[in-house]
Amino acid sequence: MNKEAITKLLQPKSIAVVGASAQPGKIGYTVISNLIKGGYKGKIYPINPTANEILSLPVYPSVSVVPESIDLAVVTVPVKFVSQVAEECGQKGIPALSVITSGFSEVGRRDLEDQLLEIAHRYGMCVLGPNIVGTLSNSDKINASFAPFLPFPGKATLITQSGALLIAMDAITYTRKVGFDKMISNGNMIDVDFADLITWLDQDENTSCVCLYIEGLKDGRKFIEACQKTKKPIIALKAGVSAHGVAAAASHTGSLAGAVKVYSAAFQQAGVVQATDLNNLFDRTLALSLLPPLKGDQLLVITNGGGVGVLATDAAERFGIPLKFAPEEVQVELKKHMPDYGSAKNPVDMTGMAGNDWYYESVKFAYTHPWTDGLAVLYCETAITNPVEIAQAVKRAIDDTGGIKDRPVLVSMVGGTRCEEAMQWLVENGIPAYGAPDEAMNAMAALREYYSIRQSLNDTNGVCAPGSSKTAREIIAKARADGRTALTEIEAKKVFAAYGLPVTAINLAKNEEEAIKFAKKTGFPIVMKVVSPDIIHKSDAGGVKVNIKDEAGVRSAYKAILKNCKAYKADADIRGIAVQEMAPLGTEVIVGSINDPTFGPTVMFGLGGIFVEVLKDVTFRVSPISKTQALQMVNEIRSVAILAGARGEAPRDRKALQDLICSYAGMIYDLRDEIAETDANPVLVYEEGKGLKVVDARIILKAKQ
Ligand code: ACO
């Protein structure tokens, strides 16, 4: 998408409203009225076949008869006329269309979208929508929408797939005093998408933070790339977190991957901060749009109430920014602004005696002290203080240090309407303020998360290069020629081995004698497993025997497996029995992958056994990944303590695990055109320095036409 086209869309010098109406209440009337009320300085051309004048503006029957050039056409004609209107706009040379009209793919009419896109491409026009509310911009005084007014002014920009939510959020900006410059509804996103808008907004001097409401992305990788390149904070609320695709999953990994987990991984890799709900989106946007990131973990909390101080301490820990005691010299100075029975540790409790002066002095000192990476100022309403005056003292203190610069400061005021008034004043004066200490801490955590994920984007600890794919592709081609989309375990292990993954030695025996030969070659004890494309869950079929110690054992296991599997599925195509090295016991983990419809190959890691089945303690990354990201995956599962060596156990070989996950991610990316889902389950991880072994392997191929 070219930048110029989006500039015409978002900063047009002239706008035609095609489907303008003289009838109040119609969308075509509202858009004209909003443009005028919003103070738009460019030319407005109402287009309507019969009207002469709308809100004192001359009306044209078609864009083709407008004497000047037009930058943007806002389309508000019924769906059946949209293609014809687009054709006329193309002929007129209009570079951008904002199509408010509904009635496209959201009601099953994708054909109409294809038609519209074809016309737009033919004329080189960009299309926002269809099925949108329109666009709003405070800095350009454009309300080219049917939302009632421009948002409360500020520096965030909202892009939302839900138009109704845009209108609701527009109104909330006034009650919450969270300022936005632009609000953009992108609806069905047939052309201009999140990535295009994010890229454009990166150079928009009126946008300091991009706030997203996402229902579903079309091109996940384009989104990740655009976000990674952006220098501004991006925050996203993802709606629709039901576990899509789970029902059809053929692998463990497939059944564990829900949209929410994969999106969450993608956001992290894209450098996007996440919000948990609408309120949280506002809380975090307020901080991200007004404050610099929290670059370190030395967060100081100043309060006049022990209770809110403890609540803030708890919340800080919960949100990943636990408080530390302030150093002696900081405590000594802060002690000067509190009674003897106050505490200067952290949280700094000035007690209920704290008035404007103590707040002023403490904030002024703490904000500039080199120890402080960030400052949270809390206040509980008291009868002896005035919240507005406290707010003003805090603001004056910050101003007297030269204003907000390289470290964040925010406020939480707990109380009634007087606190509400004080907080509004603070926000209007550039200091985020929150009604509850945990909201304030959550917003502070967003500033920390933003900094951390951005830092990890600078990670130079390279992506694992995939191994040679020649062998793997030959194995896959053979399976396809056989009419199979599931590889046998032996084939899957050969594919894994081709990418350097440490798999257990395995050979296919066609009869007892061969089984004995392979068992001797591998060395006892061994494991024997059925090999059949018709039996995926081998243990359930009685197709696995472990700890076979001698030749006699091989013979009886061979017979038993065949008998069990025939009983399980009489017509199963049994290709033989795999004779496999029996790996020593270790900690069970699972590594796997899916080919996500939005983001493509995505790798998963988690602890195995009960942890994966019951607790679903797994984590994802869009592939390929770096060594650092692989280590992050190892360290971010809830049960990481088990790998670190719980209850006197020796720590497990996390370095080997990191290497395995990284290579695995490289493998599934390399084979992304072939592979749908994979599992390495279990992988047995040994003590530090002793490596690991992939004991079972599963590869499901993509169905090909
Ligand atoms: N060129 C110019 N004007 C035209 C043309 C044309 N080719 N064809 C028709 N018009 C005029 C009509 O004459 C009419 O003007 P009039 O009032 O003078 O007669 C005007 O365009 C509008 O046409 P109507 O038939 O009156 O249609 P109406 O205004 O009822 O609805 C609309 C049109 C708003 C586009 C409707 O079809 C629609 O899609 N509504 C949904 C919009 C929406 O909700 N978008 C998604 C937002 S997300 C959310 O959920 C909030």
Side-chain angles (χ1 to χ4, degrees):
M1 181 61 54
N2 73 45
K3 191 177 141 202
E4 288 71 32
I6 299 189
T7 304
K8 300 285 185 193
L9 173 71
L10 298 179
Q11 295 180 316
K13 299 274 181 284
S14 52
I15 302 175
V17 179
V18 189
S21 173
Q23 218 176 301
K26 282 198 178 183
I27 288 182
Y29 174 90
T30 309
V31 174
I32 299 280
S33 149
N34 275 347
L35 282 168
I36 297 169
K37 270 197 305 188
Y40 180 57
K41 296 280 182 288
K43 287 269 198 161
I44 306 169
Y45 301 107
I47 311 294
N48 179 292
T50 52
N52 292 320
E53 194 183 271
I54 298 174
L55 289 163
S56 305
L57 293 169
V59 175
Y60 297 84
S62 152
V63 286
S64 58
V65 296
V66 173
E68 288 102 8
S69 64
I70 299 165
D71 282 351
L72 168 67
V74 179
V75 180
T76 63
V77 294
V79 68
K80 62 180 181 222
F81 300 126
V82 170
S83 287
Q84 175 212 325
V85 163
E87 193 73 53
E88 285 167 15
C89 290
Q91 281 165 10
K92 171 73 181 163
I94 299 175
L97 300 183
S98 170
V99 183
I100 288 180
T101 310
S102 301
F104 291 83
S105 61
E106 78 281 7
V107 291
R109 296 302 306 271
R110 189 168 295 275
D111 57 318
L112 296 178
E113 286 182 357
D114 292 344
Q115 209 176 344
L116 173 58
L117 198 59
E118 185 278 315
I119 298 166
H121 283 167
R122 184 148 37 85
Y123 291 103
M125 294 184 284
C126 74
V127 181
L128 184 69
N131 188 30
I132 60 172
V133 165
T135 59
L136 301 94
S137 164
N138 265 314
S139 50
D140 300 295
K141 294 194 184 315
I142 301 173
N143 183 358
S145 82
F146 64 93
F149 33 67
L150 286 168
F152 183 76
K155 289 218 129 188
T157 281
L158 171 73
I159 312 171
T160 167
Q161 263 174 304
S162 159
L165 204 71
L166 182 148
I167 300 176
M169 286 178 73
D170 188 19
I172 298 170
T173 63
Y174 284 87
T175 53
R176 293 285 318 257
K177 299 282 182 278
V178 178
F180 281 80
D181 185 57
K182 295 177 181 60
M183 291 193 148
I184 303 164
S185 160
N186 60 358
N188 298 6
M189 234 169 37
I190 62 165
D191 184 33
V192 176
D193 60 14
F194 280 105
D196 298 323
L197 293 166
I198 287 166
T199 303
W200 189 90
L201 290 167
D202 199 33
Q203 48 82 57
D204 176 32
E205 59 181 18
N206 298 303
T207 297
S208 65
C209 160
V210 183
C211 172
L212 309 176
Y213 168 82
I214 299 176
E215 284 173 2
L217 296 168
K218 288 191 174 164
D219 185 341
R221 285 182 185 252
K222 181 181 173 196
F223 172 82
I224 293 179
E225 216 171 287
C227 294
Q228 282 175 340
K229 286 190 185 144
T230 302
K231 294 176 292 300
K232 295 175 183 174
I234 304 171
I235 174 155
L237 175 61
K238 168 75 179 83
V241 291
S242 58
H244 77 150
V246 165
S251 67
H252 252 95
T253 307
S255 65
L256 290 162
V260 64
K261 285 183 183 142
V262 178
Y263 265 90
S264 194
F267 286 148
Q268 193 172 350
Q269 287 172 267
V272 171
V273 174
Q274 295 176 66
T276 49
D277 57 42
L278 207 49
N279 275 333
N280 187 245
L281 184 67
F282 272 101
D283 288 345
R284 294 188 142 211
T285 299
L286 179 62
L288 287 163
S289 66
L290 291 178
L291 298 175
L294 179 62
K295 293 188 186 138
D297 50 13
Q298 287 161 196
L299 173 64
L300 196 78
V301 174
I302 296 178
T303 177
N304 69 340
V308 287
V310 177
L311 286 175
T313 307
D314 290 349
E317 188 167 306
R318 192 161 71 247
F319 300 130
I321 43 170
L323 298 192
K324 296 179 160 62
F325 287 132
E328 191 59 31
E329 75 201 80
V330 173
Q331 293 194 30
V332 168
E333 186 58 34
L334 289 170
K335 269 279 186 192
K336 294 179 186 162
H337 315 297
M338 62 178 66
D340 290 345
Y341 48 87
S343 166
K345 288 181 173 158
N346 190 22
V348 177
D349 183 3
M350 299 184 296
T351 79
M353 298 292 290
N356 309 344
D357 292 349
W358 285 355
Y359 267 100
Y360 174 84
E361 295 297 345
S362 303
V363 169
K364 193 173 157 197
F365 166 75
Y367 186 63
T368 46
H369 192 278
W371 184 81
T372 313
D373 291 320
L375 181 64
V377 185
L378 315 181
Y379 167 80
C380 266
E381 195 164 346
T382 70
I384 57 168
T385 49
N386 176 335
V388 173
E389 286 177 13
I390 297 287
Q392 287 166 345
V394 171
K395 164 80 174 138
R396 206 170 53 250
I398 298 295
D399 287 348
D400 289 351
T401 66
I404 295 174
K405 285 214 170 67
D406 60 343
R407 59 187 84 179
V409 52
L410 48 71
V411 174
S412 171
M413 297 190 127
V414 185
T417 47
R418 295 193 310 156
C419 281
E420 285 294 328
E421 193 193 330
M423 286 193 289
Q424 276 203 9
W425 184 89
L426 277 166
V427 175
E428 280 168 9
N429 285 281
I431 299 182
Y434 301 87
D438 46 345
E439 286 164 2
M441 288 302 148
N442 186 293
M444 189 61 94
L447 300 170
R448 183 78 184 127
E449 285 164 30
Y450 171 58
Y451 185 76
S452 310
I453 50 179
R454 282 279 140 188
Q455 286 297 104
S456 69
L457 292 188
N458 300 332
D459 167 24
T460 51
N461 194 355
V463 164
C464 288
S468 156
S469 66
K470 190 167 169 287
T471 317
R473 287 185 188 277
E474 279 167 10
I475 295 164
I476 290 168
K478 200 166 149 286
R480 285 204 190 277
D482 250 12
R484 286 182 287 129
T485 51
L487 299 194
T488 64
E489 184 189 341
I490 295 184
E491 289 167 335
K493 278 190 174 158
K494 280 187 184 157
V495 171
F496 283 9
Y499 287 88
L501 310 183
V503 293
T504 44
I506 189 164
N507 291 286
L508 179 65
K510 303 270 193 191
N511 53 49
E512 277 182 34
E513 299 317 314
E514 265 186 12
I516 289 164
K517 186 180 86 189
F518 291 136
K520 284 181 176 161
K521 191 173 118 194
T522 305
F524 289 103
I526 56 146
V527 175
M528 291 172 67
K529 296 176 183 175
V530 67
V531 176
S532 166
D534 301 324
I535 302 176
I536 299 225
H537 299 290
K538 297 182 277 277
S539 297
D540 296 353
V544 181
K545 298 278 173 202
V546 299
N547 204 16
I548 300 161
K549 294 195 172 97
D550 52 29
E551 211 176 304
V554 173
R555 286 190 192 284
S556 69
Y558 199 97
K559 289 187 185 82
I561 289 174
L562 283 187
K563 190 167 160 242
N564 293 345
C565 292
K566 288 280 178 209
Y568 180 79
K569 196 167 192 298
D571 60 347
D573 170 13
I574 295 174
R575 307 266 164 112
I577 309 269
V579 176
Q580 186 193 294
E581 163 193 354
M582 185 158 148
L585 290 179
T587 303
E588 279 188 32
V589 302
I590 175 169
V591 180
S593 74
I594 53 156
N595 219 326
D596 183 78
T598 309
F599 296 100
T602 302
V603 64
M604 183 197 80
F605 164 71
L607 276 204
I610 178 173
F611 295 98
V612 69
E613 297 289 348
V614 180
L615 304 178
K616 299 188 176 13
D617 186 11
V618 291
T619 180
F620 290 80
R621 287 291 185 284
V622 175
S623 190
I625 60 171
S626 68
K627 283 263 172 95
T628 311
Q629 287 169 320
L631 189 61
Q632 278 169 358
M633 291 179 78
V634 173
N635 288 332
E636 75 193 14
I637 56 168
R638 293 194 301 277
S639 28
V640 63
I642 290 173
L643 293 171
R647 304 184 66 145
E649 292 253 344
R652 304 288 109 180
D653 198 335
R654 281 174 286 177
K655 164 83 179 59
L657 204 42
Q658 174 188 19
D659 291 344
L660 175 77
I661 297 170
C662 201
S663 303
Y664 202 97
M667 170 186 76
I668 57 153
Y669 185 72
D670 195 37
L671 297 174
R672 63 193 178 281
D673 54 330
E674 294 284 3
I675 284 181
E677 295 174 27
T678 67
D679 280 333
N681 180 33
V683 177
L684 299 179
V685 190
Y686 304 117
E687 288 176 17
E688 245 165 31
K690 295 194 175 158
L692 47 75
K693 270 275 155 102
V694 177
V695 172
D696 202 352
R698 184 173 303 169
I699 294 180
I700 314 289
L701 301 178
K702 273 182 165 178
K704 287 205 169 162
Q705 266 81 38

